[in-house]
Amino acid sequence: MSAILSADDLNDFISPGVACIKPVETLPAAPTPPLSDLEHEVILDGQQPTTNPNTPAQISLTDCLACSGCVTSAEAVLVSLQSHAELLSVLDSAPGLRVVPQAGGGNFKVEGLENSNAKLFVASVSPQTRASLAAVAGRGVTEREAGRMVEQLLMGGEGLRAGGRWNNGFTWVVDTNTAREASLVLGAEEALDSSSNVAKPILTSSCPGWVCYAEKTHPHVLPHISRVKSPQALMGTLLKTALSKTLGISPDRIWHLAVMPCFDKKLEASREELTDAVWNGDGKPRRGVRDVDCVITSKEILMLTESRNIDFFSLDKTPIPASSSLRIPFPDPNLHRFLFLRPTRRRNSQADPMAGTSGGNLYYTLQYVSERHPGSRIESARGRNADVVEYTVRSAAGEPLFKAARYYGFRNIQNLVRKLKPARPSRMPGVTRKPMGGKPAGGLEYAYIEVMACPGGCTNGGGQVKVDDAVVLERRGLSGAEAGAKPGPREQKEWLALVDEAYFSAEDSDAEIDEVEAEDAEMVNGGSDGSDLVGGISPSYIQDTLAHWASITGIDVGRLAYTTYREVMSDVGKSNSKAGAARDTERVVQLAGKIGGGW
């Protein structure tokens, strides 16, 4: 498995006091099975031993890898191939491809194609990762400065390029916020489209832990899940399609790294729906060249620097100069402006605390509705706990126009899917059962629901640096008994508040626009006059950019920006083989061999 996935990490997404969501069945006593190196007993913090004679529940690492507790063995293999070690292995496999702008502008030459192992390295970094690393750095380091440090690591001369067999680095490092803005606009339009084939209420799809859970345990909610790709998936498709078409190279020569706050993003990257088979083939999901080749987490960034003997916190917090030879313009000028020029009004869409720290799908949709009804207002009401909030857009006269909600954490998600479960037909003739709670069809009156697996949202993802990690203790100057004391709920809450503060520092850091971001600064939202801005984002500019992307690639926007879901039958807990003799580890190896495609 990945180097950072160990027995100590079995509760990545389960904070103290939160019960495991995997159902535990009471089975008859059975002979003691042979020990497996993948199996560990899961005991939640604070849980007291009982006198129950039943054997404690045994949940394997394969079970616990995803938030949903139902990841398949094949997916476990795919995830194991995504780590900082795999990244270093690929970087050292061959000299990287070099993109050279040609005289006169507009044309680019790719050097090094004669080596079949050579790749063009590109990366995308999430704002939650930058916030986590900023909190670890401390001393007033902002989210933007942490992003520049990551860029220096991946692109700069003092980062990965300073070591390794071939001194390889990344040609472009982009911010997933740009793809997030496109996802927000498409999601809002989908929610208000009366002709949409997505059932109401629409459930957001950016959280792969939630999607994994729905596909494997509650297929009845799949018609409700938004078809809009997550920011990671959308950025992966954009980079692979645009670069392969404009540079004239095969998608498999482009290697895309995504830096994310969540382990489950590794599962998302492994989906057959997110490969070139969909956008470059017949549109049907199957194995192919993945849009995202590797996902590493915020914590793995620090493991990456440690592997190369780089002090992450000493990296330069200033951007790589625009005049540097490392600054190569993106082959398409329109997409270059979209990806790299981020004026203040666009970044403010992240800095609004009302939007939360998970991308702001719900809040943007509420703003989108409100903008279309002058005088309307957005009201909120807390639900049964802090991770359930109900929202209503009311007209100037006080009439409800749009109802939505937020459900974070698996305890709340279980309640949500239970309400969406269709009523079972009655066995008695002439009797019709009503949906649960007497609600309208579907069991809920909401039109839109933001769903996230992690309590507190994405800044609390399982791949984020935690308050009890050694690097945090070291930078806080704690040692001995202080360092050995396990942090309680108060310390964890305070740490998450620091990460959230760093996340929202995006607005404060806008006061300093560096020379790279100041270039063509008048191109706010691609030249929009700002008349249609919603939450700092211009829907018309997003639509124009998507149309341009489709035109240069020759691929329909439907294939580029939307995805599909399917019911998945998990093999966890089933017989290892017909003979019943193969052990879990042997079965995983067999499945890995069947995957193929270099995965």
Side-chain angles (χ1 to χ4, degrees):
M1 300 306 296
S2 174
I4 67 169
L5 296 177
S6 63
D8 296 332
D9 294 319
L10 286 177
N11 63 342
D12 288 328
F13 300 96
I14 305 176
S15 58
V18 179
C20 176
I21 58 86
K22 182 176 175 60
V24 179
E25 298 177 345
T26 302
L27 302 175
T32 303
L35 293 177
S36 168
D37 56 358
L38 287 180
E39 292 186 348
H40 306 276
E41 178 181 343
V42 175
I43 300 179
L44 301 178
D45 292 339
Q47 181 175 335
Q48 300 298 323
T50 66
T51 57
N52 191 331
N54 293 333
T55 304
Q58 297 291 322
I59 302 177
S60 71
L61 180 59
T62 299
D63 295 327
C64 292
L65 186 56
C67 296
S68 61
C70 59
V71 65
T72 65
S73 298
E75 288 169 330
V77 174
L78 300 183
V79 170
S80 73
L81 296 181
Q82 300 182 53
S83 67
H84 73 288
E86 173 67 11
L87 164 59
L88 293 175
S89 174
V90 174
L91 286 174
D92 287 344
S93 63
L97 295 177
R98 300 173 301 281
V99 178
V100 182
Q102 299 298 289
N107 294 319
F108 296 82
K109 179 182 178 181
V110 181
E111 298 180 347
L113 289 170
E114 63 277 3
N115 188 330
S116 60
N117 293 322
K119 306 285 185 182
L120 176 63
F121 297 104
V122 294
S124 56
V125 184
S126 71
Q128 292 84 5
T129 287
R130 297 193 295 268
S132 181
L133 295 174
V136 178
R139 300 179 178 85
V141 174
T142 65
E143 178 256 10
R144 172 174 286 189
E145 289 174 328
R148 292 169 180 165
M149 294 162 70
V150 174
E151 185 179 66
Q152 291 282 2
L153 170 66
L154 300 178
M155 282 183 63
E158 300 301 316
L160 297 177
R161 293 182 188 275
R165 183 179 181 186
W166 304 106
N167 302 109
N168 283 330
F170 285 75
T171 303
W172 293 287
V173 177
V174 300
D175 182 356
T176 56
N177 262 336
T178 53
R180 177 185 70 92
E181 292 174 358
S183 294
L184 293 182
V185 171
L186 293 174
E189 293 177 347
E190 179 185 59
L192 299 183
D193 183 4
S194 59
S195 62
S196 172
N197 57 2
V198 183
K200 300 294 175 60
I202 293 179
L203 312 177
T204 58
S205 59
S206 293
C207 175
W210 147 243
V211 173
C212 173
Y213 176 64
E215 288 185 323
K216 295 175 182 175
T217 63
H218 298 286
H220 67 274
V221 305
L222 296 184
H224 295 270
I225 297 181
S226 169
R227 299 298 187 264
V228 178
K229 287 183 178 179
S230 72
Q232 171 184 295
L234 189 62
M235 182 62 78
T237 307
L238 189 152
L239 293 174
K240 285 291 181 87
T241 56
L243 290 174
S244 64
K245 297 293 184 180
T246 56
L247 296 177
I249 61 177
S250 172
D252 63 0
R253 304 303 296 272
I254 303 164
W255 201 83
H256 176 207
L257 169 74
V259 188
M260 293 288 148
C262 173
F263 288 126
D264 280 352
K265 284 295 183 181
K266 298 171 186 268
L267 295 178
E268 177 180 292
S270 302
R271 293 179 65 87
E272 292 185 354
E273 291 84 355
L274 301 176
T275 67
D276 71 332
V278 174
W279 52 262
N280 203 30
D282 57 9
K284 297 180 180 179
R286 64 174 184 273
R287 293 194 298 271
V289 177
R290 290 186 290 177
D291 293 342
V292 180
D293 295 279
C294 181
V295 175
I296 63 174
T297 62
S298 310
K299 190 181 299 186
E300 283 178 290
I301 280 285
L302 300 180
M303 300 177 71
L304 174 65
T305 57
E306 184 179 355
S307 298
R308 283 286 181 90
N309 295 316
I310 299 171
D311 181 4
F312 177 81
F313 304 102
S314 67
L315 290 171
D316 198 344
K317 299 179 181 63
T318 61
I320 297 173
S323 58
S324 170
S325 60
L326 298 175
R327 283 286 184 194
I328 300 173
F330 202 76
D332 182 85
N334 288 336
L335 292 182
H336 176 83
R337 283 193 293 271
F338 175 68
L339 292 171
F340 298 106
L341 303 180
R342 302 183 299 277
T344 302
R345 280 194 284 173
R346 289 184 62 189
R347 285 180 59 85
N348 279 349
S349 65
Q350 174 190 325
D352 190 342
M354 286 289 291
T357 59
S358 300
N361 299 78
L362 170 61
Y363 189 60
Y364 184 82
T365 300
L366 293 171
Q367 289 179 302
Y368 197 88
V369 174
S370 182
E371 286 287 336
R372 279 150 179 74
H373 296 85
S376 63
R377 63 186 185 275
I378 301 172
E379 297 178 352
S380 63
R382 174 171 165 159
R384 59 187 300 170
N385 55 58
D387 282 321
V388 176
V389 183
E390 298 180 347
Y391 297 87
T392 303
V393 179
R394 293 191 180 275
S395 67
E399 295 296 321
L401 301 172
F402 187 84
K403 290 189 176 182
R406 181 182 76 189
Y407 278 73
Y408 286 2
F410 270 106
R411 274 186 169 179
N412 295 321
I413 290 176
Q414 285 179 305
N415 291 328
L416 170 64
V417 297
R418 193 176 298 120
K419 293 176 181 178
L420 287 171
K421 192 170 185 178
R424 291 180 298 176
S426 174
R427 295 182 180 180
M428 297 182 63
V431 176
T432 303
R433 290 186 176 181
K434 295 182 179 179
M436 294 185 63
K439 298 290 184 181
L444 289 169
E445 57 184 359
Y446 308 124
Y448 191 83
I449 303 176
E450 183 174 273
V451 185
M452 293 289 163
C454 297
C458 292
T459 49
N460 190 34
Q464 298 282 72
V465 184
K466 303 301 182 183
V467 64
D468 55 351
D469 285 341
V471 63
V472 176
L473 300 176
E474 179 184 344
R475 292 193 62 79
R476 288 185 163 190
L478 301 178
S479 60
E482 290 179 304
K486 187 173 182 63
R490 182 176 64 85
E491 289 81 8
Q492 295 183 25
K493 186 175 181 179
E494 290 173 350
W495 174 252
L496 183 58
L498 287 177
V499 179
D500 289 347
E501 181 182 351
Y503 180 87
F504 294 121
S505 71
E507 182 176 20
D508 299 332
S509 60
D510 278 324
E512 42 171 317
I513 301 294
D514 58 63
E515 61 174 309
V516 177
E517 293 162 336
E519 178 188 0
D520 293 337
E522 68 277 5
M523 296 297 294
V524 176
N525 282 306
S528 166
D529 60 6
S531 61
D532 70 335
L533 287 180
V534 178
I537 303 171
S538 167
S540 62
Y541 171 59
I542 295 298
Q543 291 293 354
D544 289 345
T545 301
L546 293 173
H548 174 74
W549 175 23
S551 68
I552 66 172
T553 58
I555 305 171
D556 183 76
V557 172
R559 287 194 183 188
L560 295 173
Y562 297 89
T563 187
T564 57
Y565 312 96
R566 81 287 187 200
E567 181 179 359
V568 176
M569 301 299 294
S570 174
D571 58 0
V572 172
K574 296 181 179 179
S575 175
N576 289 341
S577 67
K578 292 182 179 180
R583 298 173 59 186
D584 280 349
T585 51
E586 296 171 339
R587 181 164 55 101
V588 168
V589 172
Q590 293 169 2
L591 287 167
K594 295 178 181 178
I595 293 299
W599 289 9

